[in-house]
Amino acid sequence: MRVHSVTSRVKSKTSIMRKLERSDRSREFGDITDVLGIRVVTYFPDEVDAIGNLIEREFEVDIDNSIDKRTLLDPDRFGYLSLHYVLQLDAGRSALPEYSGYKGLKFELQIRSILQHAWAEIEHDLSYKPSVSVPSEIKRRFSRLAGLLELVDAEFLGIRNEIDRTSRSALVVDEIEFDVARLLSRSASIELPNWPQDWTEANYLAAAGQSGRGLLVLDRVLIPIPGGGRFEPCDLLGPNGELIHVRRARTSASFGHLFNQALVSTELLLRSAEARNSFIELVSDRSVDRRLPADFSPRVVVLSFPSNEAPEVSMREIPAAARITLARVSQALEDLGVTLYIVGIGASQ
């Protein structure tokens, strides 16, 4: 953990003797818990609890003498909103030779944010004691400062969190851009005919099926989903069993529909033997010379849409929001053992 500072002090023998002599009851050296005092100053208030959780895992905590002053003190005591522990080495660490000499020795640990620390130091330097009668105007001024510093502490925390979110978002965007660029660089063996501007999707798919490229049209042909419902497995079946999904996509929504439809249909075919058998029968019924093997399972999915650089597709042709969906779909298919290709469709000359 990154902290502002870790400081410590050890009481002198004179100071310890004086403390024992002042006690109103019989005390021994082992009763003194602050022979060693350590202070950890964090940059942000939420790090106080994070370090506290770590300390509680690593040391044995004297619950009776430890205190979270943030829950006890008055609102104008900002500088004392600190976490105080009385600790000792736990049994496991005390048993190690290098630590055995410190077995049973208690020490104090204080954790506070840098603004809480600054307040406490200045307040101590001013010798301000709330228990002492001081003018109400001074009390009000301390209260205003306490509220201001607490607000500043919270604002710094909010700024840090926003910077972290922005940084993570930028990192995610970079990862998505990299994944999509890698996907677009793949060269598929599928070549699709051009798409005249005035043709509907149905017109184009029908023509593709008659183009002599070994493409079987399955547009709007639905097969049953186990448990109820039906789904469209693909728009075209490639010559080597590729599931080809085609759409004249222009908006993020239309791209997203194309990408997600491909994922859903592929998952259904992979996960359901009943759906695969229905698909195999469908192909046989739709073509006299096409047969899928009995153990068919989708291994290649092709997403196709009009592109100015067909058969390639440039990054700028896919809306930013749709790239997120595409990266997610590509990863999901890859996890299923399916390779995804993007093939651009050119316009008629």
Side-chain angles (χ1 to χ4, degrees), residues 221-280:
V221 179
L222 305 178
I223 61 177
I225 298 175
R230 296 184 298 170
F231 75 101
E232 183 181 77
C234 59
D235 294 308
L236 297 168
L237 180 66
N240 296 305
E242 304 93 337
L243 303 180
I244 305 172
H245 298 264
V246 178
R247 191 176 183 88
R248 191 187 286 279
R250 294 187 177 91
T251 66
S252 292
S254 57
F255 274 104
H257 181 270
L258 172 66
F259 301 158
N260 282 311
Q261 183 183 38
L263 175 59
V264 171
S265 63
T266 304
E267 284 184 321
L268 285 169
L269 288 173
L270 282 169
R271 299 184 188 282
S272 170
E274 184 178 339
R276 287 196 302 276
N277 291 334
S278 296
F279 182 61
I280 293 170

Side-chain angles (χ1 to χ4, degrees), residues 55-73:
I55 292 299
E56 290 178 16
R57 291 199 306 268
E58 295 296 323
F59 294 90
E60 184 177 319
V61 180
D62 182 343
I63 300 297
D64 293 334
N65 291 306
S66 299
I67 185 171
D68 186 351
K69 291 192 174 183
R70 299 170 300 175
T71 64
L72 298 178
L73 298 178

Side-chain angles (χ1 to χ4, degrees), residues 271-316:
R271 299 184 188 282
S272 170
E274 184 178 339
R276 287 196 302 276
N277 291 334
S278 296
F279 182 61
I280 293 170
E281 292 177 6
L282 170 65
V283 171
S284 178
D285 292 341
R286 300 281 294 187
S287 174
V288 296
D289 56 355
R290 289 294 298 273
R291 296 289 185 276
L292 291 175
D295 60 349
F296 170 80
S297 185
R299 286 291 172 259
V300 175
V301 169
V302 178
L303 299 173
S304 296
F305 44 86
S307 168
N308 294 326
E309 302 180 21
E312 297 180 353
V313 174
S314 67
M315 182 82 75
R316 63 178 177 273

Side-chain angles (χ1 to χ4, degrees), residues 14-170:
T14 301
S15 178
I16 294 172
M17 294 300 296
R18 191 181 299 120
K19 188 167 186 177
L20 288 173
E21 291 170 356
R22 286 201 311 263
S23 177
D24 56 357
R25 60 185 176 84
S26 177
R27 299 181 69 184
E28 297 180 356
F29 177 76
D31 298 325
I32 300 177
T33 61
D34 64 342
V35 172
L36 168 64
I38 300 174
R39 177 178 294 143
V40 178
V41 178
T42 70
Y43 286 100
F44 302 100
D46 65 334
E47 294 168 339
V48 172
D49 287 317
I51 293 174
N53 291 335
L54 177 61
I55 292 299
E56 290 178 16
R57 291 199 306 268
E58 295 296 323
F59 294 90
E60 184 177 319
V61 180
D62 182 343
I63 300 297
D64 293 334
N65 291 306
S66 299
I67 185 171
D68 186 351
K69 291 192 174 183
R70 299 170 300 175
T71 64
L72 298 178
L73 298 178
D74 295 333
D76 66 343
R77 306 293 288 157
F78 174 79
Y80 288 91
L81 300 181
S82 306
L83 192 54
H84 291 243
Y85 286 109
V86 174
L87 306 164
Q88 62 182 348
L89 298 178
D90 61 18
R93 188 160 294 175
S94 296
L96 299 174
E98 61 268 35
Y99 291 116
S100 59
Y102 304 104
K103 181 178 181 180
L105 178 63
K106 292 187 177 181
F107 64 97
E108 292 191 0
L109 175 71
Q110 181 189 81
I111 313 170
R112 58 169 56 147
S113 76
I114 192 170
L115 285 179
Q116 292 165 354
H117 177 62
W119 164 274
E121 292 295 295
I122 293 172
E123 186 184 53
H124 180 269
D125 188 63
L126 292 174
S127 300
Y128 171 66
K129 303 293 183 183
S131 59
V132 177
S133 178
V134 295
S136 59
E137 176 57 27
I138 292 180
K139 287 184 177 180
R140 283 197 296 271
R141 290 172 72 178
F142 266 99
S143 295
R144 289 199 299 268
L145 282 172
L148 178 61
L149 282 175
E150 190 162 351
L151 177 62
V152 172
D153 228 356
E155 282 300 301
F156 274 131
L157 179 59
I159 290 170
R160 184 208 65 185
N161 291 341
E162 188 62 34
I163 290 173
D164 287 347
R165 281 194 293 271
T166 301
S167 299
R168 286 195 297 271
S169 296

